[in-house]
Amino acid sequence: MLELQSFESLFRENHAQCVAFATHYMGDSHAAEEVVQQVFLRLWEKRDSITITGPVKAYLFSAIRNTAISQWRKETVRADRETHYSTIRDTATEATDQARELERLYQQALDRLPERCREVFVLSRQQQMKYAEIAATLDISVKTVENHMGKALRILHQELKEYLPLLTGFLF
């Protein structure tokens, strides 16, 4: 069992060497100081259950090395996660920007359609109406609806041909 005076003495005698040793592993004196503090704190908290066989300095250095390595692993995992999430965020932002641009180009192409073609196309693709319903709504024949849809699809296909892989299933 470690008493307060013994602990304070142990701390004073070994602190500087422990920090120097931890700095070797951490590469940063501030982080090394944190590791040494953790080791001494754990030693104090577990003083009733820890049995040190052998030199105390060897125990301290071993505990510091293990804590430093553990800290390094945690930091590496955290950095990897941040990089991963940053990549996902960047990809999502880029996809959103591309979707906006594609929507703008689609709207421009749609605006360039002849009025009746656009009207038929919008009722079919955006309002999800059947050709017979469109024909009844616009008071035209189903054959005329088919012709307008064919014309609209040809024009949009031509205008947006470089983006077709992205649009397949969406418009066509």
Side-chain angles (χ1 to χ4, degrees), residues 47-64:
R47 67 187 176 277
D48 294 334
S49 61
I50 292 179
T51 304
I52 299 174
T53 56
V56 174
K57 197 174 284 192
Y59 172 84
L60 289 172
F61 283 3
S62 180
I64 288 167

Side-chain angles (χ1 to χ4, degrees), residues 106 109-125 131 134 144-160 164 171-172:
Y106 164 71
L110 196 59
D111 290 344
R112 285 193 290 270
L113 287 175
E115 185 178 339
R116 193 57 128 184
C117 280
R118 181 177 52 250
E119 196 173 6
V120 168
F121 182 84
V122 167
L123 290 174
S124 173
R125 292 299 200 260
Y131 285 6
I134 296 169
T144 304
V145 171
E146 290 172 1
N147 289 336
H148 282 304
M149 277 302 294
K151 184 176 182 178
L153 289 172
R154 277 191 305 280
I155 293 169
L156 290 173
H157 186 273
Q158 183 61 36
E159 296 254 345
L160 302 170
L164 283 180
L171 298 175
F172 306 103

Side-chain angles (χ1 to χ4, degrees), residues 21-91:
F21 182 74
T23 302
H24 168 73
Y25 279 97
M26 302 300 290
D28 173 18
S29 60
H30 180 70
E33 181 68 42
E34 289 292 321
V35 166
V36 170
Q37 291 297 330
Q38 287 177 14
V39 168
F40 274 104
L41 178 62
R42 250 191 339 264
L43 179 62
W44 177 253
E45 289 173 342
K46 297 182 181 217
R47 67 187 176 277
D48 294 334
S49 61
I50 292 179
T51 304
I52 299 174
T53 56
V56 174
K57 197 174 284 192
Y59 172 84
L60 289 172
F61 283 3
S62 180
I64 288 167
R65 179 180 46 89
N66 292 340
T67 303
I69 290 170
S70 177
Q71 194 80 7
W72 176 80
R73 284 183 184 144
K74 287 178 188 173
E75 287 298 316
T76 301
V77 168
R78 185 189 57 74
D80 288 348
R81 279 191 190 135
E82 284 180 6
T83 301
H84 176 72
Y85 291 130
S86 177
T87 301
I88 289 172
R89 219 177 8 259
D90 292 347
T91 302

